[in-house]
Amino acid sequence: MSPKRIGLLFPGGRETDTGSYEAAFLEAMANQGSKVGRDFVLVRAYCDWRTDHVRGAMDELIRQQVDVIVLSTTDEMTVEAARVTRTVPMVFNQSFAPLELGLVDSYAKPGRNLTGTTVYAGPGVQNKRIEYLRAIAPASKRLFWLWGTGSPSMPTLRGPAYEVGKTIESDAAAMGIIARVYAIGHPSEMPAALAEAAAWKADAVSGGGFPVYRARQQLIDFAAKARLPSVFSVNRYVHDGGLLSYGVPDEESSALHARFISQIQRVLRGVPVETIPVELPRRHNLCINLKTAKRLGLTVSTALLARADELIEK
């Protein structure tokens, strides 16, 4: 039997760190018994951080008759990819809101030619981040939220746009915080975004998504220089100097990625993609960088220290 063909759709270009992602992907596949060359070959396509390049990249993968397309892209790109084909199986990696965007009919029964993983577990988790920010930095009232995609208003497959920006802003407002969502589609847009945060007189920052993550050190350094508290969904930001995070810890992220690889392998074995459930995180944790808190002159309460799953002191 000839090897299966896996299409990898990258959000960036060949010059980004796609090599490290691909190496991790191959290692994860090997850990579950599938070896490149013997069991599958890779076909690569790149979007250069532009949603309008998705269709051409997808057409190229389809022309090469791939058996499954792996989408490690922004949600906006994933929606565009889903517009291109309703037949080729696709597996998305850590989508923010696949249900809201119409990528699947439900998490348990996707019902379309897509399945994958999501790090979004409902507004409760998002609100927890704001709660923890308010607990550790009660003076913060203006939260500048960097959204790493093309637009905070994303088109859906079912018609109306999914207003990510309005969702975040309304959730924050209900908790007494003024939030402003600012979208970037490429890591190079980070300096302009930070200039806007300063002009808006933000007194706290947050962010997420692939372009933001790639430029996270600029965001963390800006927060440190401006003495701004920061809150994130991924503890890597906190390990790199951010203040706090509430979200998927590293070990759960690794477990979620293993389930993502398992989904791909099930598709390659012939399991109908529309029957493979979307995988959600099974645990979240609170991570606080005490060194950063001290530098910002913030006192972490005993109650919050007791609640924390991870404390960074060095």
Side-chain angles (χ1 to χ4, degrees), residues 145-251:
W145 194 302
L146 273 159
W147 176 247
T149 186
S151 167
S153 176
M154 295 189 295
T156 77
L157 297 179
R158 296 194 177 102
Y162 176 52
E163 301 284 351
V164 179
K166 289 182 179 178
T167 299
I168 293 172
E169 288 167 2
S170 63
D171 287 349
M175 304 177 72
I177 300 288
I178 300 171
R180 180 178 175 193
V181 177
Y182 186 100
I184 68 171
H186 190 283
S188 66
E189 297 171 22
M190 180 63 79
L194 298 178
E196 187 64 25
W200 187 66
K201 295 183 172 22
D203 57 22
V205 294
S206 184
F210 284 123
V212 174
Y213 185 79
R214 295 285 174 87
R216 66 187 179 278
Q217 199 59 55
Q218 294 179 56
L219 175 56
I220 292 166
D221 291 346
F222 167 81
K225 185 176 181 179
R227 297 183 60 79
L228 301 182
S230 56
V231 57
F232 302 101
S233 62
V234 180
N235 62 0
R236 175 49 53 193
Y237 287 87
V238 184
H239 283 270
D240 290 344
L243 176 61
L244 69 93
S245 66
Y246 182 70
V248 182
D250 287 344
E251 60 272 20

Side-chain angles (χ1 to χ4, degrees), residues 260-271:
F260 165 68
I261 296 297
S262 177
Q263 290 172 319
I264 297 168
Q265 295 194 331
R266 291 178 68 188
V267 170
L268 294 178
R269 290 197 301 267
V271 178

